[in-house]
Amino acid sequence: MIKFFDEIRHRQSNWWITGIFSALISDMYIPLDRNPDVQICVNRIADLVSNMTIYLMENTERGDRRIINELSRKIDIEPCQNMTRKNWVFKIVQDLLLNGDGNSIVHVSMTSDGYIKNLTPFSMNQVSYRYTDSDSYTILYNNQEYQSDEVLHFAINPRSGKLFFRARLSSAIEGNCCKS
């Protein structure tokens, strides 16, 4: 008889703990990328970086020299026809830190005479990667496949042997916040 009541008490306590945990998770859980504090930090970093000038530099024997030509103008002044340079850099930085798991992909469209026409950032929630062999990969975006030489691929902390970087923001934050 005592064993019977112990079993009932055990089931009730398990239900109570499970019920409270489920309520907390379902009602209060917010993914890290939708956490307002994290979004404010990422947006602030992206705002600061997007205000910086992008210089195209050449290494010479006498030191680095800034190059001023059509390529530097395209990258620093008008990279994308559908957005300002500030918004373009902001999107890339935001993808790197929040939306793209440490990656940002920009499609390079060319003119018929071989010049860069437009640098369009991909929406990172629609991007996936596929290894083609040991040295290359393709990018799938909107059911279209792009070769790695058709895009600019920005990655945070690229590793040798890894062609693209996959990291969750939670692991980056937990790894940095919990260090003593």
Side-chain angles (χ1 to χ4, degrees):
M1 183 89 158
I2 293 173
K3 192 172 187 177
F4 175 73
F5 286 117
D6 284 343
E7 182 67 28
I8 290 174
R9 211 173 309 133
H10 179 70
R11 285 184 187 171
Q12 287 177 341
S13 66
N14 281 346
W15 175 84
W16 184 77
I17 291 170
T18 306
I20 287 183
F21 182 73
S22 296
L24 287 173
I25 293 298
S26 63
D27 294 341
M28 297 174 58
Y29 176 74
I30 298 173
L32 210 48
D33 62 345
R34 286 193 278 154
N35 182 306
D37 295 334
V38 172
Q39 287 180 341
I40 289 169
C41 290
V42 167
N43 288 341
R44 182 68 176 147
I45 293 167
D47 183 52
L48 290 171
V49 172
S50 66
N51 286 326
M52 298 176 185
T53 302
I54 301 171
Y55 290 138
L56 184 61
M57 304 295 286
E58 176 184 28
N59 295 328
T60 65
E61 291 182 12
R62 303 178 100 189
D64 292 341
R65 182 177 70 89
R66 182 176 178 195
I67 297 175
I68 300 173
N69 60 16
E70 286 301 312
L71 178 60
S72 65
R73 176 180 170 73
K74 183 64 171 171
I75 292 171
D76 188 43
I77 297 173
E78 51 188 29
C80 183
Q81 66 187 15
N82 298 323
M83 58 178 59
T84 64
R85 183 196 105 21
K86 179 175 176 49
N87 289 345
W88 184 77
V89 173
F90 189 99
K91 165 109 174 72
I92 291 170
V93 172
Q94 193 175 49
D95 284 346
L96 287 169
L97 297 175
L98 198 62
N99 306 323
D101 297 334
N103 297 282
S104 184
I105 307 294
V106 176
H107 180 254
V108 180
S109 48
M110 306 293 277
T111 62
S112 59
D113 52 348
Y115 290 106
I116 296 173
K117 178 181 178 182
N118 205 20
L119 300 170
T120 309
F122 283 168
S123 178
M124 291 306 294
N125 62 355
Q126 298 174 1
V127 171
S128 61
Y129 307 93
R130 183 174 50 196
Y131 280 106
T132 55
D133 57 37
S134 62
D135 293 341
S136 189
Y137 61 99
T138 60
I139 294 168
L140 300 171
Y141 179 73
N142 279 344
N143 296 324
Q144 187 171 352
E145 190 171 48
Y146 296 92
Q147 299 301 315
S148 57
D149 61 352
E150 295 178 88
V151 298
L152 298 176
H153 185 172
F154 301 96
I156 293 179
N157 299 327
R159 298 180 184 145
S160 61
K162 296 282 187 181
L163 298 175
F164 53 87
F165 182 74
R166 280 280 194 200
R168 290 273 159 214
L169 183 62
S170 58
S171 64
I173 288 176
E174 289 168 5
N176 290 328
C177 292
C178 299
K179 290 181 180 176
S180 53

